[in-house]
Amino acid sequence: MVADHDHDHDHGYMVPDQQRFAEWVRDHGKAVRGFLLALVRRGDVADDLCQEVFCRAWQARDRYTDQGKARAYLLQIANRLACDRSRRNEPRTNLDDQTWKFHEQSSLVPEPAQAAMLSEQVGLLHAALDKLAPMQQRVLLLRYYGQMDFQEIAETLQTPLNTALSHCRRGLETLRRLLVETTP
Amino acid sequence: MNDSTNQDNQRLRQMLEEVTAADASTAAHAKPEEGGVEIASLRETWLAFGQLIRAADASLPAMPKIAASIVPQKSRRSRWSHSRWVGLTAATAAALLVAVTFACWIRRDSDRGAGCQPAGNMASADWQLTPRASSAALVRQEQSKTAEAEKAANQQPKAGTIATSNTNTATSTWDDPLETQIASVSQQISNVEQNWQHRVDDVDLVQYRIDAVTDSLQNDKL
C-alpha cells in the first residue's frame, strides 16, 4: 500500500486501518520527518527512518489504542529508531553538508537563491542544535513537533519529570544565547 | 523541603509549558511578578527556534511516499503456508516415486526369480501349435524340471546357510514362498525318481525271470 499525503482525502474505499494509516501519514508525516531530520541531519536517512516509523506503526496497528495522541505515538517510535541508529552508527563519521552535496547531487533542489537562503536557515538550525546536549535536543524537538506535555516527554525519554524540565530550560537558555542575544 | 521542591518543579513546569506553548495566547498570560521578563525572553527564543525549524522544513524536498506493507503478518503466514504446502506436495511426490520404483524393482526381481515360469507358459503355448514343437517343448519342460530338481538337490543341504538363487541372493531371501515351492517340487521329483527306481528294479527282476524261463526252454529243461 502507498499512502501519499498529497492525495485527496477520499478514503471511502479503504478499510479502517488503511484509512487511519493514510490520515497519519497526511497529518503527521511532515512532523515525524522534521523531527528525524533534526536528529540525524541527513535527508536520506531521515526519509528512511520516517518510512520505518510508519512501517512499525502499521505492523503494531492491532496493539494501538486510539487516544488522540497519534503524533506522540509516532514520535516515540521515531525517537527510538533515531536512538538505535545513533547507537549503531557511533563509530561512523557523517559527511558535512557541502561534501555530501558535492558527491550526491540531488535533482530536487530549489532555485539557487532560495536554496542559498534555505540552506542558511538549515545551517543555522543545525548549528543551534549542535550547541545542545542530545537530551536537550530531544526534549525541545518532542515538545515542538509532538506538542507533548512534559510528563509524556519524560516517559518517552525514560527520565524523571524534573530531569526533562531541566533539559528543556537549559536548552532554551542555550538557544537564547545563540538565537536571540546574538541577533542584531 | 519536599513541598517547596515540588512547588518549584510545578512552577517550572507551568512556566515551560507557557513558554513552549504552540499558541501565543497561552504565553501572554504570564504575569510580570512571576518572572515575566524571563518568560518573555524564553518565549522569544522558542518562537525563533520554531521559525528556524519551519524554514528548515520548507527547504526539504517533497516528502517521499510512505509505502507500508499492507499484508505484513497474514501474508507472511500465508506465504509460509503456501511454501509449506509446496514442500509437502514435493515430498509426497518424491515418496510416491520411490515407492513405485521400489515396487517395480521387486516385481522385476520376482519375475526373474520365477524365470522358468514364462518358459513353461511358452512351452504350453507351443504345445498347442505343432507336434514337433510340442515334443520340443516337452523336452524343454523335462529339462527344466530336471535342472530344478538338480538345483534343489544341490541346495537342499545348504538351505540353512544359503538361501537359493546363485544369481541374486537378496532376491531369494525375499521370495520365501518360491523357495518353498521349489523345495517341494524337488522333493516330489526325488520321490518320483525313487519310485521309478523301484519299478525299474521290479522290471529287471521280471526280465531276469523271463530270461531264466527262456534259457530253460532253450535247454529243454522244462
Side-chain angles (χ1 to χ4, degrees):
Chain A
M1 172 192 167
V2 175
D4 186 358
H5 65 289
D6 291 332
H7 277 173
D8 58 2
H9 298 171
D10 182 16
H11 299 300
Y13 59 91
M14 291 181 176
V15 295
D17 278 343
Q18 295 176 40
Q19 186 175 349
R20 186 173 67 187
F21 183 75
E23 284 171 1
W24 279 4
V25 174
R26 187 189 67 224
D27 296 340
H28 311 305
K30 279 185 178 174
V32 173
R33 188 192 191 199
F35 173 77
L36 287 166
L37 184 65
L39 286 179
V40 300
R41 314 283 169 79
R42 272 180 53 184
D44 57 333
V45 177
D47 287 343
D48 287 349
L49 289 177
C50 188
Q51 167 83 29
E52 184 64 22
V53 167
F54 282 100
C55 280
R56 296 269 178 101
W58 174 258
Q59 286 166 357
R61 65 189 183 281
D62 295 334
R63 296 192 297 274
Y64 176 76
T65 51
D66 196 359
Q67 297 173 334
K69 292 181 178 177
R71 182 174 291 194
Y73 172 65
L74 293 170
L75 287 175
Q76 282 177 0
I77 300 174
N79 178 61
R80 214 176 306 133
L81 287 174
C83 282
D84 289 347
R85 183 190 174 275
S86 65
R87 210 174 294 136
R88 256 195 334 265
N89 292 352
E90 212 164 16
R92 296 186 190 171
T93 306
N94 280 347
L95 296 176
D96 61 274
D97 207 32
Q98 286 181 346
T99 312
W100 174 254
K101 279 178 183 168
F102 177 75
H103 288 289
E104 185 74 20
Q105 294 176 352
S106 172
S107 59
L108 295 170
V109 292
E111 293 296 316
Q114 191 190 0
M117 191 188 76
L118 289 174
S119 73
E120 190 183 348
Q121 299 285 325
V122 173
L124 198 56
L125 175 66
H126 288 177
L129 289 171
D130 282 341
K131 298 285 181 188
L132 302 176
M135 285 299 279
Q136 293 172 2
Q137 289 178 25
R138 284 187 156 81
V139 170
L140 291 177
L141 289 170
L142 284 173
R143 178 71 180 157
Y144 178 81
Y145 281 110
Q147 295 298 312
M148 300 161 75
D149 65 30
F150 286 101
Q151 184 63 46
E152 288 175 326
I153 292 174
E155 286 169 7
T156 301
L157 299 178
Q158 297 176 339
T159 58
L161 174 63
N162 296 341
T163 310
L165 291 171
S166 299
H167 283 312
C168 182
R169 178 169 193 153
R170 285 187 201 139
L172 282 173
E173 287 171 354
T174 306
L175 285 177
R176 181 171 61 186
R177 282 195 294 277
L178 191 74
L179 298 177
V180 180
E181 293 174 0
T182 58
T183 306
Chain B
M1 180 72 181
N2 273 343
D3 286 347
S4 66
T5 308
N6 285 341
Q7 281 180 356
D8 286 346
N9 284 335
Q10 193 63 33
R11 209 174 296 139
L12 177 63
R13 180 179 180 175
Q14 194 177 352
M15 183 194 82
L16 288 174
E17 281 178 351
E18 288 172 0
V19 164
T20 57
D23 54 337
S25 61
T26 313
H29 292 148
K31 297 171 188 171
E33 63 269 20
E34 291 177 354
V37 179
E38 173 78 1
I39 291 176
S41 171
L42 289 178
R43 177 70 183 169
E44 191 184 356
T45 304
W46 178 253
L47 292 176
F49 180 62
Q51 204 172 355
L52 211 54
I53 288 177
R54 277 193 297 278
D57 284 349
S59 70
L60 295 175
M63 188 175 158
K65 289 180 178 179
I66 303 292
S69 168
I70 204 160
V71 280
Q73 290 161 359
K74 265 190 179 176
S75 80
R76 272 180 213 150
R77 206 176 298 146
S78 66
R79 229 180 302 154
W80 156 240
S81 66
H82 176 70
S83 62
R84 191 174 54 181
W85 277 114
V86 168
L88 279 175
T89 310
T92 309
L96 276 174
L97 188 66
V98 168
V100 166
T101 310
F102 189 66
C104 288
W105 180 68
I106 286 181
R107 190 175 165 192
R108 190 191 60 187
D109 280 351
S110 66
D111 286 349
R112 192 185 296 166
C116 58
Q117 221 164 358
N121 291 341
M122 202 186 293
S124 61
D126 288 343
W127 177 265
Q128 295 168 356
L129 291 177
T130 60
R132 178 174 289 191
S134 67
S135 64
L138 194 61
V139 169
R140 277 205 301 272
Q141 212 169 3
E142 288 296 326
Q143 283 175 348
S144 68
K145 275 185 183 174
T146 311
E148 274 180 14
E150 286 175 358
K151 200 189 293 178
N154 288 336
Q155 286 170 352
Q156 217 166 4
K158 305 173 188 174
T161 53
I162 302 169
T164 50
S165 163
N166 54 1
T167 54
N168 194 348
T169 52
T171 309
S172 52
T173 55
W174 280 91
D175 292 335
D176 286 340
L178 184 67
E179 190 180 1
T180 312
Q181 200 176 352
I182 290 171
S184 68
V185 167
S186 63
Q187 186 67 34
Q188 287 171 2
I189 289 172
S190 64
N191 289 340
V192 167
E193 279 180 339
Q194 282 176 0
N195 291 337
W196 182 76
Q197 195 62 40
H198 287 306
R199 288 179 186 176
V200 165
D201 290 341
D202 291 341
V203 169
D204 284 344
L205 182 62
V206 170
Q207 184 69 37
Y208 174 72
R209 290 194 176 165
I210 289 172
D211 288 340
V213 169
T214 306
D215 287 340
S216 303
L217 285 174
Q218 285 175 353
N219 296 330
D220 294 329
K221 288 181 180 176
L222 290 180

